[in-house]
Amino acid sequence: MSQKNTYNVAVVGATGAVGQKMLETLEDRNFPINELKLLSSSRSAGSKMKYKEQELVVEEATPESFEGIDIALFSAGGSVSKKFAPEAVKRGAVVIDNTSAYRMAQDVPLVVPEVNEADIQNHQGIIANPNCSTIQMVAALEPLRDALGLSRVLVSTYQAVSGAGNEAADELREQSQAFLDGEELDAKVLPVKGDEKHYPIAFNALPQIDVFQENGYTFEEMKMINETKKIMHMPNLSVAATCVRLPFFTSHAESVYIEVEKDGVTVEEVKQLLSQAPGIVLEDDPASQKYPTPLSSAGKRDVFVGRVRRDLDNEHGFHLWVVSDNLLKGAAWNSVQIAERIIANQWL
Amino acid sequence: MSQKNTYNVAVVGATGAVGQKMLETLEDRNFPINELKLLSSSRSAGSKMKYKEQELVVEEATPESFEGIDIALFSAGGSVSKKFAPEAVKRGAVVIDNTSAYRMAQDVPLVVPEVNEADIQNHQGIIANPNCSTIQMVAALEPLRDALGLSRVLVSTYQAVSGAGNEAADELREQSQAFLDGEELDAKVLPVKGDEKHYPIAFNALPQIDVFQENGYTFEEMKMINETKKIMHMPNLSVAATCVRLPFFTSHAESVYIEVEKDGVTVEEVKQLLSQAPGIVLEDDPASQKYPTPLSSAGKRDVFVGRVRRDLDNEHGFHLWVVSDNLLKGAAWNSVQIAERIIANQWL
C-alpha cells in the first residue's frame, strides 16, 4: 500500500468500554483519519456516538463493512474477531485486535510498542493487542530486562471491574449502593459473565478473572504467563501470576516481584532505569507517601511505578507496584499506539 | 496462681473495632468469666456495652483498674499497652496484648495457638497477639512447614479497612456514598491516621499500611516478615511482603507463594494437609468456582484457603489464596484462643 496522509479507520465494538476509549484516544491523539466507521453487533447497531464534532451512527459489522478500510481496531470479543478479522484482512485492512483470539498464534505479532515495536513488521494482516494486565507489567519490566537481565517474575494483580466491560462496572455501582442501603447484593455478571456462578464484587475481592483452566490457573493468569514470554521473546522466563478482581472501576494495580541477572544492582539503579523509560512514570518516594494508585492513574496513558525496593533476602530480587489505566494503556491506547507506529514506520 | 473455675477478665480498648469483637467472642465461646471489666481511655469512659444480658459501663483505665484481674486483653494501641500492661502484670494479671508494643520483645511469646501454643508457657506476664495479616498466613503455612519443610514465603495482601479501626470503616462508607453521588471524596484517616497525607480508599487501592520504614518497606510489611520468623521459630526463613489496603470492610485476603523443601510434592498432598489442619478450612474447587472471599469468610473464626496450585516453573513452588476475618482470627479470636489455652494448660 502506498503512503497516505490520512486513513480509513474502522472501530469494531465501538459501543463497549474499550471501544468508547478508542474513540476518545483517536480524538486526543488527533489520529490522521480520513473516514471513521463505527461497527458493532446488530444489538448495538443504530447507536449514535460522537467523534470530534461529528455524530456517527454505529453500523452492524458485515464482511463488506471493511471495503476500503486501512486500519481496523477490534474490541468486540474473540468470536467477532475470529469471524471478521480475516474478512478485513482479505479486503486490505490491517487489523489491530484487542481480544485474545489471535494473541498466541505464531504468525501474529503480539505487541507493546515500548517492548517489541519491531515485531509489528512481521504481521500478516493481524497484530494482536495483549491482555491489559500483561501490557502494563511488560512495559515496566522491559527497561529492567534490557539493562539488568530478568530471570523471574511473580505477580499478584489488583484488577478493576471495567476490564470485564460496562456491565461489570454497572454491577459494581448497583451492588455498592445496595450494600450501603443494607440491601441484598444481586450478582449476575462477575467474576465471569458466561461462567456458572456469580459472586458480589462490592466490598469484596474475587480471585477469579476469566474461566478456570485444567491446571487450576485462570485463563487471565495463563494470559499473563504466556503473553509475557511471547512479547519479551523469553520462552524460558519463569512467570507466575495470581489475578484478583477488586471493587474499583478503573486501572489495574500489580504487586510484582522480579529477579534480575546482574549482580549488585541498587534500588537507585532500578529507579533510574524506570524514570528514563518511555511510557513509564516513576512515582516513588516513601518519605512523602508518594506512590501510584488506581484513582491517581485513571484517565492517563502512562504506566506508573512505585514502591520499588530490594528483597530483604535475595540480592537479585526487587519488588515493584505497577499501576495503569486498564482501558487506555491496557487496551485502547496500546492499540492506537500500534496504529501510530505502523503509520510512522510505513508498515501498513 | 491456683486453678480456678472462673476468671476476672479485663478488656482494654473495649469500644474499639477489635474490643467489640473481643466481647462478642468471649460471649460466643462462653468464656468462664467471674467478673468482666471494660476499660478505655478517658474519651470513651462512660460508654455502655452489652455482655450477655448485662449492661456494662466502660471505665477509664488506671493502674488500679487491674487489681484482682486474672486475664487482661489489650487492644487500645501500643502506647496504652506500654503504659498499663506492666501495671497489670505487677498486680498478678496475665496480659494478652493485641498491639505491636511487645511482639518482638525477646521475653514475650508471640503466639498463634495452631502454630506455637507451647511458647505461651515461657511468658513473663505478657503474651503478644501477632499482627492480623501475619496470623492467618502462619496458620495456613504451619501444616505445610511441618510436613514438607518451608524455605520461602512471598505474600501480597488484600486488606480490609477495619484493620485500621472503626474510623477507617466509617471513612470507606462515607466516601463510597459520596463517590456514587458524584461528590468529592474527603480523606482524613487512611492510609494511616497519624501520617501526613491521606488518600481516598473508596474504589481505590492504597499500597501503604502503617508508616514507611527507612528501608522502603512499611511497618505492616516488616511486621509480617519479622513476626512470621519469630512465630515459626525460623529466623532464616526467606519472607517478603507487599501490603495493600482495599475498599472492603472485613477480612484480609492474601496471595501467598511458598517454596517447600520436600521433593515431588503434589497439589493433592498440599490440599490434604490443609484440609486436616486445625483452624483451617480448605475451600478449593476450580471446577465449581469454589474459593474463599472476604465476604464469604467475614464473621467466621477459621482461616480459609483456596486456589492451591503448583508453580508452573518451580517444582517446589506452590500458590495459595488465604482469607480470614481480620477482627476474629486476626485479632479478637486469636487473643481469646490464647486465653483459653492458658486456662486449659494451667499456664496462668
Side-chain angles (χ1 to χ4, degrees), chain A residues 152 156 197 199 208 217 221 255 257 289 291 307 309-310, chain B residues 152 156 197 199 208 217 221 242 255 257 289 291 307 310:
Chain A
R152 189 170 202 187
S156 294
K197 292 185 189 164
Y199 304 112
Q208 182 192 355
Y217 287 74
E221 289 159 356
S255 169
Y257 170 73
Q289 293 177 265
Y291 39 71
R307 301 290 332 269
R309 60 208 194 280
R310 176 141 35 178
Chain B
R152 190 169 203 188
S156 294
K197 292 185 189 164
Y199 303 112
Q208 182 192 354
Y217 286 74
E221 288 159 357
T242 298
S255 168
Y257 170 73
Q289 294 176 264
Y291 39 71
R307 300 292 330 270
R310 178 142 32 179

PDB file of all heavy atoms in Angstrom, chain A residues 152 156 197 199 208 217 221 255 257 289 291 307 309-310, chain B residues 152 156 197 199 208 217 221 242 255 257 289 291 307 310:
ATOM      1  N   ARG A 152      13.071 -13.979  36.557  1.00  0.00           N
ATOM      2  CA  ARG A 152      11.885 -14.454  37.236  1.00  0.00           C
ATOM      3  C   ARG A 152      10.892 -13.314  37.464  1.00  0.00           C
ATOM      4  O   ARG A 152      11.290 -12.205  37.813  1.00  0.00           O
ATOM      5  CB  ARG A 152      12.290 -15.023  38.593  1.00  0.00           C
ATOM      6  CG  ARG A 152      11.179 -15.731  39.278  1.00  0.00           C
ATOM      7  CD  ARG A 152      11.678 -16.475  40.493  1.00  0.00           C
ATOM      8  NE  ARG A 152      10.750 -17.536  40.829  1.00  0.00           N
ATOM      9  CZ  ARG A 152      10.834 -18.276  41.904  1.00  0.00           C
ATOM     10  NH1 ARG A 152      11.837 -18.127  42.737  1.00  0.00           N
ATOM     11  NH2 ARG A 152       9.944 -19.202  42.153  1.00  0.00           N
ATOM     12  N   SER A 156       1.023 -10.595  41.611  1.00  0.00           N
ATOM     13  CA  SER A 156      -0.342 -10.689  42.133  1.00  0.00           C
ATOM     14  C   SER A 156      -1.047  -9.414  41.695  1.00  0.00           C
ATOM     15  O   SER A 156      -0.543  -8.316  41.937  1.00  0.00           O
ATOM     16  CB  SER A 156      -0.349 -10.789  43.659  1.00  0.00           C
ATOM     17  OG  SER A 156       0.243 -12.003  44.077  1.00  0.00           O
ATOM     18  N   LYS A 197     -21.383 -19.608  38.211  1.00  0.00           N
ATOM     19  CA  LYS A 197     -21.716 -18.915  39.454  1.00  0.00           C
ATOM     20  C   LYS A 197     -21.282 -17.465  39.410  1.00  0.00           C
ATOM     21  O   LYS A 197     -20.299 -17.114  38.756  1.00  0.00           O
ATOM     22  CB  LYS A 197     -21.018 -19.610  40.632  1.00  0.00           C
ATOM     23  CG  LYS A 197     -21.566 -20.991  40.903  1.00  0.00           C
ATOM     24  CD  LYS A 197     -20.918 -21.572  42.137  1.00  0.00           C
ATOM     25  CE  LYS A 197     -21.297 -23.038  42.298  1.00  0.00           C
ATOM     26  NZ  LYS A 197     -20.408 -23.720  43.240  1.00  0.00           N
ATOM     27  N   TYR A 199     -20.651 -14.007  42.034  1.00  0.00           N
ATOM     28  CA  TYR A 199     -20.460 -13.556  43.415  1.00  0.00           C
ATOM     29  C   TYR A 199     -20.435 -12.040  43.451  1.00  0.00           C
ATOM     30  O   TYR A 199     -19.993 -11.405  42.487  1.00  0.00           O
ATOM     31  CB  TYR A 199     -19.141 -14.098  43.972  1.00  0.00           C
ATOM     32  CG  TYR A 199     -19.006 -15.598  43.920  1.00  0.00           C
ATOM     33  CD1 TYR A 199     -18.090 -16.205  43.075  1.00  0.00           C
ATOM     34  CD2 TYR A 199     -19.798 -16.407  44.729  1.00  0.00           C
ATOM     35  CE1 TYR A 199     -17.954 -17.588  43.031  1.00  0.00           C
ATOM     36  CE2 TYR A 199     -19.679 -17.796  44.685  1.00  0.00           C
ATOM     37  CZ  TYR A 199     -18.754 -18.386  43.827  1.00  0.00           C
ATOM     38  OH  TYR A 199     -18.635 -19.741  43.788  1.00  0.00           O
ATOM     39  N   GLN A 208     -10.836 -14.777  40.890  1.00  0.00           N
ATOM     40  CA  GLN A 208     -11.093 -15.433  39.598  1.00  0.00           C
ATOM     41  C   GLN A 208     -11.321 -14.362  38.543  1.00  0.00           C
ATOM     42  O   GLN A 208     -12.282 -13.583  38.634  1.00  0.00           O
ATOM     43  CB  GLN A 208     -12.324 -16.347  39.658  1.00  0.00           C
ATOM     44  CG  GLN A 208     -12.558 -17.057  38.319  1.00  0.00           C
ATOM     45  CD  GLN A 208     -13.907 -17.756  38.177  1.00  0.00           C
ATOM     46  OE1 GLN A 208     -14.698 -17.817  39.103  1.00  0.00           O
ATOM     47  NE2 GLN A 208     -14.168 -18.261  36.979  1.00  0.00           N
ATOM     48  N   TYR A 217      -5.156 -22.856  37.071  1.00  0.00           N
ATOM     49  CA  TYR A 217      -4.963 -21.424  36.841  1.00  0.00           C
ATOM     50  C   TYR A 217      -6.170 -20.898  36.066  1.00  0.00           C
ATOM     51  O   TYR A 217      -6.805 -21.631  35.320  1.00  0.00           O
ATOM     52  CB  TYR A 217      -3.681 -21.172  36.024  1.00  0.00           C
ATOM     53  CG  TYR A 217      -2.419 -21.380  36.821  1.00  0.00           C
ATOM     54  CD1 TYR A 217      -1.978 -22.657  37.155  1.00  0.00           C
ATOM     55  CD2 TYR A 217      -1.656 -20.293  37.257  1.00  0.00           C
ATOM     56  CE1 TYR A 217      -0.829 -22.853  37.909  1.00  0.00           C
ATOM     57  CE2 TYR A 217      -0.513 -20.480  38.008  1.00  0.00           C
ATOM     58  CZ  TYR A 217      -0.104 -21.760  38.329  1.00  0.00           C
ATOM     59  OH  TYR A 217       1.030 -21.953  39.078  1.00  0.00           O
ATOM     60  N   GLU A 221      -4.711 -15.613  34.267  1.00  0.00           N
ATOM     61  CA  GLU A 221      -3.360 -15.908  34.771  1.00  0.00           C
ATOM     62  C   GLU A 221      -2.490 -16.514  33.670  1.00  0.00           C
ATOM     63  O   GLU A 221      -1.319 -16.132  33.505  1.00  0.00           O
ATOM     64  CB  GLU A 221      -3.455 -16.839  35.995  1.00  0.00           C
ATOM     65  CG  GLU A 221      -4.016 -16.099  37.219  1.00  0.00           C
ATOM     66  CD  GLU A 221      -4.619 -16.978  38.308  1.00  0.00           C
ATOM     67  OE1 GLU A 221      -4.693 -18.218  38.116  1.00  0.00           O
ATOM     68  OE2 GLU A 221      -5.037 -16.425  39.326  1.00  0.00           O
ATOM     69  N   SER A 255       1.311  -6.081  42.196  1.00  0.00           N
ATOM     70  CA  SER A 255       2.445  -6.286  43.080  1.00  0.00           C
ATOM     71  C   SER A 255       3.367  -7.270  42.368  1.00  0.00           C
ATOM     72  O   SER A 255       3.030  -8.437  42.195  1.00  0.00           O
ATOM     73  CB  SER A 255       1.952  -6.870  44.411  1.00  0.00           C
ATOM     74  OG  SER A 255       3.031  -7.322  45.191  1.00  0.00           O
ATOM     75  N   TYR A 257       7.104  -9.081  41.820  1.00  0.00           N
ATOM     76  CA  TYR A 257       8.426  -9.457  42.325  1.00  0.00           C
ATOM     77  C   TYR A 257       9.244  -9.939  41.127  1.00  0.00           C
ATOM     78  O   TYR A 257       8.760 -10.745  40.328  1.00  0.00           O
ATOM     79  CB  TYR A 257       8.311 -10.581  43.357  1.00  0.00           C
ATOM     80  CG  TYR A 257       9.641 -11.181  43.733  1.00  0.00           C
ATOM     81  CD1 TYR A 257      10.533 -10.476  44.541  1.00  0.00           C
ATOM     82  CD2 TYR A 257      10.031 -12.434  43.256  1.00  0.00           C
ATOM     83  CE1 TYR A 257      11.772 -11.011  44.869  1.00  0.00           C
ATOM     84  CE2 TYR A 257      11.263 -12.975  43.591  1.00  0.00           C
ATOM     85  CZ  TYR A 257      12.130 -12.265  44.394  1.00  0.00           C
ATOM     86  OH  TYR A 257      13.362 -12.794  44.719  1.00  0.00           O
ATOM     87  N   GLN A 289       5.144   9.774  51.100  1.00  0.00           N
ATOM     88  CA  GLN A 289       3.970   8.909  50.809  1.00  0.00           C
ATOM     89  C   GLN A 289       3.571   8.996  49.337  1.00  0.00           C
ATOM     90  O   GLN A 289       2.386   9.092  49.017  1.00  0.00           O
ATOM     91  CB  GLN A 289       2.777   9.304  51.679  1.00  0.00           C
ATOM     92  CG  GLN A 289       2.964   9.049  53.155  1.00  0.00           C
ATOM     93  CD  GLN A 289       1.761   9.553  53.936  1.00  0.00           C
ATOM     94  OE1 GLN A 289       1.763  10.662  54.441  1.00  0.00           O
ATOM     95  NE2 GLN A 289       0.708   8.743  54.002  1.00  0.00           N
ATOM     96  N   TYR A 291       3.203   7.278  45.832  1.00  0.00           N
ATOM     97  CA  TYR A 291       3.093   6.010  45.108  1.00  0.00           C
ATOM     98  C   TYR A 291       1.831   6.098  44.262  1.00  0.00           C
ATOM     99  O   TYR A 291       0.910   6.849  44.587  1.00  0.00           O
ATOM    100  CB  TYR A 291       3.005   4.821  46.092  1.00  0.00           C
ATOM    101  CG  TYR A 291       2.159   5.099  47.316  1.00  0.00           C
ATOM    102  CD1 TYR A 291       0.772   5.204  47.234  1.00  0.00           C
ATOM    103  CD2 TYR A 291       2.744   5.288  48.568  1.00  0.00           C
ATOM    104  CE1 TYR A 291      -0.008   5.481  48.341  1.00  0.00           C
ATOM    105  CE2 TYR A 291       1.965   5.578  49.697  1.00  0.00           C
ATOM    106  CZ  TYR A 291       0.595   5.668  49.573  1.00  0.00           C
ATOM    107  OH  TYR A 291      -0.169   5.950  50.669  1.00  0.00           O
ATOM    108  N   ARG A 307       6.857   2.078  44.941  1.00  0.00           N
ATOM    109  CA  ARG A 307       7.199   1.062  45.943  1.00  0.00           C
ATOM    110  C   ARG A 307       8.383   0.180  45.504  1.00  0.00           C
ATOM    111  O   ARG A 307       8.431  -1.021  45.817  1.00  0.00           O
ATOM    112  CB  ARG A 307       5.998   0.167  46.280  1.00  0.00           C
ATOM    113  CG  ARG A 307       4.735   0.826  46.831  1.00  0.00           C
ATOM    114  CD  ARG A 307       4.852   1.383  48.245  1.00  0.00           C
ATOM    115  NE  ARG A 307       5.799   0.740  49.110  1.00  0.00           N
ATOM    116  CZ  ARG A 307       5.522  -0.286  49.922  1.00  0.00           C
ATOM    117  NH1 ARG A 307       4.318  -0.772  49.970  1.00  0.00           N
ATOM    118  NH2 ARG A 307       6.436  -0.797  50.703  1.00  0.00           N
ATOM    119  N   ARG A 309      11.645  -1.577  45.798  1.00  0.00           N
ATOM    120  CA  ARG A 309      12.537  -1.903  46.912  1.00  0.00           C
ATOM    121  C   ARG A 309      13.170  -3.266  46.690  1.00  0.00           C
ATOM    122  O   ARG A 309      12.629  -4.103  45.977  1.00  0.00           O
ATOM    123  CB  ARG A 309      11.781  -1.852  48.236  1.00  0.00           C
ATOM    124  CG  ARG A 309      10.624  -2.789  48.334  1.00  0.00           C
ATOM    125  CD  ARG A 309       9.554  -2.238  49.295  1.00  0.00           C
ATOM    126  NE  ARG A 309       8.603  -3.278  49.655  1.00  0.00           N
ATOM    127  CZ  ARG A 309       7.573  -3.661  48.873  1.00  0.00           C
ATOM    128  NH1 ARG A 309       7.377  -3.122  47.692  1.00  0.00           N
ATOM    129  NH2 ARG A 309       6.764  -4.611  49.288  1.00  0.00           N
ATOM    130  N   ARG A 310      14.326  -3.420  47.321  1.00  0.00           N
ATOM    131  CA  ARG A 310      15.043  -4.678  47.171  1.00  0.00           C
ATOM    132  C   ARG A 310      14.460  -5.717  48.116  1.00  0.00           C
ATOM    133  O   ARG A 310      14.056  -5.407  49.225  1.00  0.00           O
ATOM    134  CB  ARG A 310      16.511  -4.474  47.499  1.00  0.00           C
ATOM    135  CG  ARG A 310      17.212  -5.810  47.420  1.00  0.00           C
ATOM    136  CD  ARG A 310      18.529  -5.873  46.849  1.00  0.00           C
ATOM    137  NE  ARG A 310      19.415  -4.775  47.067  1.00  0.00           N
ATOM    138  CZ  ARG A 310      20.647  -4.798  46.605  1.00  0.00           C
ATOM    139  NH1 ARG A 310      21.061  -5.831  45.893  1.00  0.00           N
ATOM    140  NH2 ARG A 310      21.455  -3.794  46.824  1.00  0.00           N
TER     141      ARG A 310
ATOM    142  N   ARG B 152      10.688 -20.565  51.677  1.00  0.00           N
ATOM    143  CA  ARG B 152      10.451 -19.236  51.133  1.00  0.00           C
ATOM    144  C   ARG B 152       8.970 -18.882  51.171  1.00  0.00           C
ATOM    145  O   ARG B 152       8.121 -19.714  50.864  1.00  0.00           O
ATOM    146  CB  ARG B 152      10.925 -19.211  49.679  1.00  0.00           C
ATOM    147  CG  ARG B 152      10.936 -17.842  49.104  1.00  0.00           C
ATOM    148  CD  ARG B 152      11.647 -17.823  47.775  1.00  0.00           C
ATOM    149  NE  ARG B 152      12.112 -16.480  47.493  1.00  0.00           N
ATOM    150  CZ  ARG B 152      12.636 -16.101  46.350  1.00  0.00           C
ATOM    151  NH1 ARG B 152      12.819 -16.974  45.386  1.00  0.00           N
ATOM    152  NH2 ARG B 152      13.023 -14.853  46.163  1.00  0.00           N
ATOM    153  N   SER B 156       1.493 -11.079  48.868  1.00  0.00           N
ATOM    154  CA  SER B 156       0.887  -9.787  48.554  1.00  0.00           C
ATOM    155  C   SER B 156      -0.489  -9.802  49.214  1.00  0.00           C
ATOM    156  O   SER B 156      -1.261 -10.735  49.004  1.00  0.00           O
ATOM    157  CB  SER B 156       0.730  -9.600  47.045  1.00  0.00           C
ATOM    158  OG  SER B 156       2.003  -9.517  46.430  1.00  0.00           O
ATOM    159  N   LYS B 197      -0.128  12.526  54.819  1.00  0.00           N
ATOM    160  CA  LYS B 197      -1.080  12.611  53.708  1.00  0.00           C
ATOM    161  C   LYS B 197      -2.164  11.546  53.821  1.00  0.00           C
ATOM    162  O   LYS B 197      -1.922  10.452  54.340  1.00  0.00           O
ATOM    163  CB  LYS B 197      -0.338  12.435  52.379  1.00  0.00           C
ATOM    164  CG  LYS B 197       0.589  13.591  52.074  1.00  0.00           C
ATOM    165  CD  LYS B 197       1.197  13.413  50.696  1.00  0.00           C
ATOM    166  CE  LYS B 197       2.283  14.445  50.462  1.00  0.00           C
ATOM    167  NZ  LYS B 197       3.136  14.066  49.307  1.00  0.00           N
ATOM    168  N   TYR B 199      -5.319   9.627  51.474  1.00  0.00           N
ATOM    169  CA  TYR B 199      -5.844   9.387  50.129  1.00  0.00           C
ATOM    170  C   TYR B 199      -7.176   8.657  50.228  1.00  0.00           C
ATOM    171  O   TYR B 199      -7.388   7.882  51.164  1.00  0.00           O
ATOM    172  CB  TYR B 199      -4.866   8.527  49.319  1.00  0.00           C
ATOM    173  CG  TYR B 199      -3.477   9.103  49.207  1.00  0.00           C
ATOM    174  CD1 TYR B 199      -2.393   8.498  49.841  1.00  0.00           C
ATOM    175  CD2 TYR B 199      -3.245  10.265  48.466  1.00  0.00           C
ATOM    176  CE1 TYR B 199      -1.113   9.023  49.738  1.00  0.00           C
ATOM    177  CE2 TYR B 199      -1.965  10.789  48.363  1.00  0.00           C
ATOM    178  CZ  TYR B 199      -0.896  10.165  49.003  1.00  0.00           C
ATOM    179  OH  TYR B 199       0.364  10.696  48.898  1.00  0.00           O
ATOM    180  N   GLN B 208      -0.041   1.247  51.010  1.00  0.00           N
ATOM    181  CA  GLN B 208       0.612   1.652  52.263  1.00  0.00           C
ATOM    182  C   GLN B 208      -0.278   1.262  53.436  1.00  0.00           C
ATOM    183  O   GLN B 208      -1.409   1.746  53.556  1.00  0.00           O
ATOM    184  CB  GLN B 208       0.853   3.170  52.309  1.00  0.00           C
ATOM    185  CG  GLN B 208       1.575   3.583  53.593  1.00  0.00           C
ATOM    186  CD  GLN B 208       1.599   5.077  53.876  1.00  0.00           C
ATOM    187  OE1 GLN B 208       1.165   5.880  53.060  1.00  0.00           O
ATOM    188  NE2 GLN B 208       2.109   5.444  55.041  1.00  0.00           N
ATOM    189  N   TYR B 217      10.205  -0.341  53.138  1.00  0.00           N
ATOM    190  CA  TYR B 217       9.059  -1.208  53.465  1.00  0.00           C
ATOM    191  C   TYR B 217       8.166  -0.468  54.463  1.00  0.00           C
ATOM    192  O   TYR B 217       8.649   0.374  55.228  1.00  0.00           O
ATOM    193  CB  TYR B 217       9.543  -2.525  54.096  1.00  0.00           C
ATOM    194  CG  TYR B 217      10.171  -3.467  53.091  1.00  0.00           C
ATOM    195  CD1 TYR B 217      11.441  -3.227  52.574  1.00  0.00           C
ATOM    196  CD2 TYR B 217       9.493  -4.595  52.651  1.00  0.00           C
ATOM    197  CE1 TYR B 217      12.019  -4.078  51.646  1.00  0.00           C
ATOM    198  CE2 TYR B 217      10.057  -5.460  51.723  1.00  0.00           C
ATOM    199  CZ  TYR B 217      11.321  -5.196  51.222  1.00  0.00           C
ATOM    200  OH  TYR B 217      11.883  -6.044  50.300  1.00  0.00           O
ATOM    201  N   GLU B 221       4.463  -4.371  56.501  1.00  0.00           N
ATOM    202  CA  GLU B 221       5.253  -5.376  55.771  1.00  0.00           C
ATOM    203  C   GLU B 221       6.341  -5.962  56.674  1.00  0.00           C
ATOM    204  O   GLU B 221       6.572  -7.189  56.691  1.00  0.00           O
ATOM    205  CB  GLU B 221       5.834  -4.744  54.502  1.00  0.00           C
ATOM    206  CG  GLU B 221       4.745  -4.490  53.455  1.00  0.00           C
ATOM    207  CD  GLU B 221       5.077  -3.451  52.398  1.00  0.00           C
ATOM    208  OE1 GLU B 221       6.162  -2.831  52.466  1.00  0.00           O
ATOM    209  OE2 GLU B 221       4.244  -3.242  51.509  1.00  0.00           O
ATOM    210  N   THR B 242       4.212  -7.487  50.460  1.00  0.00           N
ATOM    211  CA  THR B 242       3.688  -6.211  49.970  1.00  0.00           C
ATOM    212  C   THR B 242       2.267  -6.113  50.513  1.00  0.00           C
ATOM    213  O   THR B 242       1.456  -7.006  50.267  1.00  0.00           O
ATOM    214  CB  THR B 242       3.671  -6.172  48.428  1.00  0.00           C
ATOM    215  OG1 THR B 242       5.018  -6.289  47.956  1.00  0.00           O
ATOM    216  CG2 THR B 242       3.071  -4.868  47.920  1.00  0.00           C
ATOM    217  N   SER B 255      -2.424 -13.383  48.668  1.00  0.00           N
ATOM    218  CA  SER B 255      -1.874 -14.210  47.601  1.00  0.00           C
ATOM    219  C   SER B 255      -0.489 -14.628  48.070  1.00  0.00           C
ATOM    220  O   SER B 255       0.414 -13.797  48.177  1.00  0.00           O
ATOM    221  CB  SER B 255      -1.799 -13.373  46.315  1.00  0.00           C
ATOM    222  OG  SER B 255      -1.033 -14.037  45.339  1.00  0.00           O
ATOM    223  N   TYR B 257       2.868 -17.114  47.872  1.00  0.00           N
ATOM    224  CA  TYR B 257       3.714 -18.061  47.142  1.00  0.00           C
ATOM    225  C   TYR B 257       4.694 -18.665  48.137  1.00  0.00           C
ATOM    226  O   TYR B 257       5.309 -17.936  48.924  1.00  0.00           O
ATOM    227  CB  TYR B 257       4.495 -17.337  46.036  1.00  0.00           C
ATOM    228  CG  TYR B 257       5.560 -18.201  45.406  1.00  0.00           C
ATOM    229  CD1 TYR B 257       5.218 -19.236  44.542  1.00  0.00           C
ATOM    230  CD2 TYR B 257       6.910 -17.999  45.695  1.00  0.00           C
ATOM    231  CE1 TYR B 257       6.202 -20.046  43.977  1.00  0.00           C
ATOM    232  CE2 TYR B 257       7.899 -18.790  45.126  1.00  0.00           C
ATOM    233  CZ  TYR B 257       7.537 -19.821  44.269  1.00  0.00           C
ATOM    234  OH  TYR B 257       8.503 -20.624  43.715  1.00  0.00           O
ATOM    235  N   GLN B 289     -16.017 -23.310  40.802  1.00  0.00           N
ATOM    236  CA  GLN B 289     -15.739 -21.911  41.196  1.00  0.00           C
ATOM    237  C   GLN B 289     -15.773 -21.736  42.704  1.00  0.00           C
ATOM    238  O   GLN B 289     -16.341 -20.772  43.209  1.00  0.00           O
ATOM    239  CB  GLN B 289     -16.752 -20.954  40.552  1.00  0.00           C
ATOM    240  CG  GLN B 289     -16.670 -20.854  39.046  1.00  0.00           C
ATOM    241  CD  GLN B 289     -17.777 -19.955  38.512  1.00  0.00           C
ATOM    242  OE1 GLN B 289     -18.831 -20.430  38.104  1.00  0.00           O
ATOM    243  NE2 GLN B 289     -17.545 -18.650  38.541  1.00  0.00           N
ATOM    244  N   TYR B 291     -13.883 -20.939  46.057  1.00  0.00           N
ATOM    245  CA  TYR B 291     -12.702 -20.317  46.671  1.00  0.00           C
ATOM    246  C   TYR B 291     -13.226 -19.338  47.706  1.00  0.00           C
ATOM    247  O   TYR B 291     -14.344 -18.844  47.596  1.00  0.00           O
ATOM    248  CB  TYR B 291     -11.862 -19.600  45.600  1.00  0.00           C
ATOM    249  CG  TYR B 291     -12.675 -18.875  44.550  1.00  0.00           C
ATOM    250  CD1 TYR B 291     -13.387 -17.713  44.861  1.00  0.00           C
ATOM    251  CD2 TYR B 291     -12.762 -19.357  43.242  1.00  0.00           C
ATOM    252  CE1 TYR B 291     -14.153 -17.054  43.906  1.00  0.00           C
ATOM    253  CE2 TYR B 291     -13.540 -18.705  42.284  1.00  0.00           C
ATOM    254  CZ  TYR B 291     -14.222 -17.561  42.621  1.00  0.00           C
ATOM    255  OH  TYR B 291     -14.982 -16.912  41.681  1.00  0.00           O
ATOM    256  N   ARG B 307      -7.532 -21.811  45.880  1.00  0.00           N
ATOM    257  CA  ARG B 307      -6.631 -21.549  44.743  1.00  0.00           C
ATOM    258  C   ARG B 307      -5.258 -22.215  44.920  1.00  0.00           C
ATOM    259  O   ARG B 307      -4.231 -21.658  44.493  1.00  0.00           O
ATOM    260  CB  ARG B 307      -6.447 -20.034  44.517  1.00  0.00           C
ATOM    261  CG  ARG B 307      -7.676 -19.190  44.218  1.00  0.00           C
ATOM    262  CD  ARG B 307      -8.346 -19.448  42.861  1.00  0.00           C
ATOM    263  NE  ARG B 307      -7.469 -19.881  41.811  1.00  0.00           N
ATOM    264  CZ  ARG B 307      -6.831 -19.079  40.961  1.00  0.00           C
ATOM    265  NH1 ARG B 307      -6.987 -17.789  41.037  1.00  0.00           N
ATOM    266  NH2 ARG B 307      -6.072 -19.573  40.020  1.00  0.00           N
ATOM    267  N   ARG B 310       0.298 -25.587  41.893  1.00  0.00           N
ATOM    268  CA  ARG B 310       1.750 -25.657  41.799  1.00  0.00           C
ATOM    269  C   ARG B 310       2.259 -24.573  40.862  1.00  0.00           C
ATOM    270  O   ARG B 310       1.632 -24.255  39.857  1.00  0.00           O
ATOM    271  CB  ARG B 310       2.177 -27.014  41.260  1.00  0.00           C
ATOM    272  CG  ARG B 310       3.676 -27.017  41.145  1.00  0.00           C
ATOM    273  CD  ARG B 310       4.413 -28.202  41.464  1.00  0.00           C
ATOM    274  NE  ARG B 310       3.813 -29.470  41.215  1.00  0.00           N
ATOM    275  CZ  ARG B 310       4.473 -30.580  41.480  1.00  0.00           C
ATOM    276  NH1 ARG B 310       5.672 -30.519  42.010  1.00  0.00           N
ATOM    277  NH2 ARG B 310       3.911 -31.748  41.247  1.00  0.00           N
TER     278      ARG B 310
END
